[in-house]
Amino acid sequence: DTVLTQSPALAVSPGERVTISCRASESVSTRMHWYQQKPGQQPKLLIYGASNLESGVPARFSGSGSGTDFTLTIDPVEANDTATYFCQQSWNDPTFGAGTKLELK
Amino acid sequence: QVQLKESGPGLVQPSQTLSLTCTVSGFSLMDYSVHWVRQPPGKGLEWMGRMKYDGDTYYNSALKSRLSISRDTSKSQVFLKMNSLQTEDTAIYYCTRAGSFAYWGQGTLVTVSS
């Protein structure tokens, strides 16, 4: 299985720029996707194919990377971005990262 | 519009079998694959398996011996059955449509307890 490693938590102030990283144990090309999940809700797709913004998602969110290293950037961060962010690969059987909990200072 | 909805028992006894149904609308099961994903309370997401649009099934190797996914295209339903449940199978179970998982059901909480 392809293991995805994310940093566990981040704390930033509103208006700042934040990058959330995801490292794959093997190359997944650009078959990486990012989700936002708030408590009590299902995951919401933000970015697909490493860098493509899902329809309806604010342009404050962007994604980059290929191969094994990927980042999700939020710029600027807003108060309602408090959530857990998961990466997920679809190069082979889907796997998810453990999630990065984003808190606002 | 695209919708998915999970249904099933909220409580299952240890060693018993879990049966869940995902009812979809707004698309055909013969055009899109449907996946099952679960999330233990407060933890991360685990892919369980998928019903491909052509009827083939694929399973997480860690669950393969206990898991079965099937479908009824006439009813737009995908079924999950998992046997020998243990407390660690307590989770929210989601179905989601393939295509980068843009569409998810609201999830159904399954608690394994006696």
Side-chain angles (χ1 to χ4, degrees):
Chain A
D1 291 357
T2 303
V3 177
L4 303 180
T5 301
Q6 297 182 243
S7 52
L10 291 169
V12 298
S13 299
E16 289 185 346
R17 178 177 184 266
V18 65
T19 59
I20 298 171
S21 64
C22 178
R23 173 164 287 178
S25 60
E26 59 184 318
S27 176
V28 297
S29 185
T30 57
R31 302 292 290 273
M32 184 65 76
H33 321 290
W34 291 93
Y35 302 85
Q36 176 193 65
Q37 188 178 34
K38 297 182 178 181
Q41 297 183 16
Q42 65 270 58
K44 174 186 176 183
L45 178 67
L46 300 174
I47 301 289
Y48 64 93
S51 61
N52 301 289
L53 190 68
E54 173 68 1
S55 177
V57 174
R60 303 184 292 105
F61 294 88
S62 63
S64 64
S66 66
T68 61
D69 291 297
F70 299 86
T71 58
L72 171 71
T73 300
I74 311 172
D75 186 15
V77 172
E78 295 183 357
N80 69 350
D81 295 334
T82 298
T84 300
Y85 293 84
F86 294 95
C87 56
Q88 176 247 323
Q89 64 80 22
S90 60
W91 179 252
N92 44 37
D93 281 348
T95 52
F96 293 86
T100 296
K101 189 172 184 179
L102 180 65
E103 297 180 337
L104 279 288
K105 294 179 184 175
Chain B
Q1 71 276 30
V2 173
Q3 292 186 326
L4 302 93
K5 185 174 184 179
E6 308 86 351
S7 58
L11 180 66
V12 178
Q13 296 205 345
S15 79
Q16 298 302 301
T17 297
L18 171 66
S19 295
L20 296 176
T21 300
C22 175
T23 303
V24 309
S25 59
F27 68 97
S28 170
L29 293 178
M30 292 185 286
D31 291 330
Y32 289 90
S33 302
V34 170
H35 297 239
W36 288 94
V37 175
R38 69 178 179 176
Q39 184 173 35
K43 296 188 178 181
L45 299 158
E46 179 183 32
W47 177 75
M48 301 182 70
R50 70 175 176 265
M51 169 58 72
K52 199 176 171 186
Y53 56 85
D54 61 4
D56 281 347
T57 52
Y58 299 84
Y59 301 109
N60 183 324
S61 57
L63 301 172
K64 189 173 183 177
S65 63
R66 301 196 287 140
L67 186 60
S68 174
I69 297 174
S70 59
R71 70 179 182 179
D72 183 333
T73 55
S74 68
K75 294 183 178 179
S76 294
Q77 292 180 324
V78 179
F79 309 106
L80 177 147
K81 287 189 188 301
M82 189 163 70
N83 59 31
S84 304
L85 256 62
Q86 301 300 322
T87 55
E88 53 265 32
D89 294 312
T90 293
I92 299 172
Y93 287 74
Y94 296 99
C95 55
T96 175
R97 195 188 82 168
S100 302
F101 297 170
Y103 300 97
W104 296 69
Q106 84 278 12
T108 186
L109 175 63
V110 174
T111 301
V112 182
S113 175
S114 55

